[in-house]
Amino acid sequence: YGLDPSKDWLLIFPGSRKEEVSRHLAIMTDAAENFDSKNTYEKIIVRAEGITIAESNDFKVFSGDSKQIHELMSYGSLGILKSGTTTLEAGLMCLPGVICYKTSSITYLIAKNLNKLPYIGLINIVLGKQLYQELIQHDFTAESIADGLHSVLGNKETFTEELRNLRSLLHPPSGSTARRVANELLAD
């Protein structure tokens, strides 16, 4: 894919919709620059189909099907992940990182009042705890993302071990995963 295998890979997932990308990308790339000031990481923006993102000297742009993206995740070192299915995919591929999301103020207020779950990241919901730091709305800043990535690096072995245990959580000896997740979502 033209990526530098001698460097660790920092993967950036700004979203799959134009509005998400416009809200997320600049903050995420600033965070990547803040985090990697010595340029030791290959910084890769993972572009969703139909989204246009210009490549630069500091950032590669990758686009592929889900199999190729999962392969990229499996080789990635860290991820800046927009909330959604990307977080669960990252967890399954053992890609540590931070979860980010920003929406309009009114949408955020409505969602905050409707959401009864303690987390918004699918991976954290499935795990039943916050493994991935969630930086939502006003907490979604370049500085907080960079700090979160440094925190993950400081605890990467434990973080990765938690992700390896995820497969056993998703394949319990009895009962379906879908039923367990549905019961947790519907519990008061």
Side-chain angles (χ1 to χ4, degrees), residues 35-136:
F35 170 75
D36 186 35
S37 60
K38 295 184 174 125
N39 200 30
T40 58
Y41 283 80
E42 179 88 82
K43 294 179 276 302
I44 305 161
I45 300 168
V46 181
R47 179 182 65 82
E49 191 174 314
I51 301 292
T52 303
I53 297 172
E55 205 163 293
S56 71
N57 290 338
D58 294 327
F59 294 90
K60 302 278 187 198
V61 176
F62 179 88
S63 183
D65 62 27
S66 60
K67 183 178 179 181
Q68 292 167 321
I69 291 171
H70 292 162
E71 182 179 6
L72 182 71
M73 285 177 162
S74 72
Y75 290 106
S77 301
L78 290 169
I80 302 174
L81 314 162
K82 69 96 183 156
S83 181
T85 56
T86 303
T87 67
L88 187 56
E89 292 168 317
L92 291 170
M93 300 313 297
C94 292
L95 176 67
V98 295
I99 297 171
C100 309
Y101 202 79
K102 189 171 199 163
T103 189
S104 70
S105 296
I106 190 74
T107 301
Y108 173 72
L109 290 173
I110 291 168
K112 187 175 180 180
N113 286 319
L114 292 175
N115 183 19
K116 303 297 181 209
L117 298 172
Y119 316 109
I120 69 159
L122 287 175
I123 187 66
N124 289 338
I125 293 168
V126 170
L127 288 170
K129 63 182 178 181
Q130 185 172 319
L131 178 61
Y132 286 79
Q133 183 179 5
E134 297 182 351
L135 303 168
I136 311 305

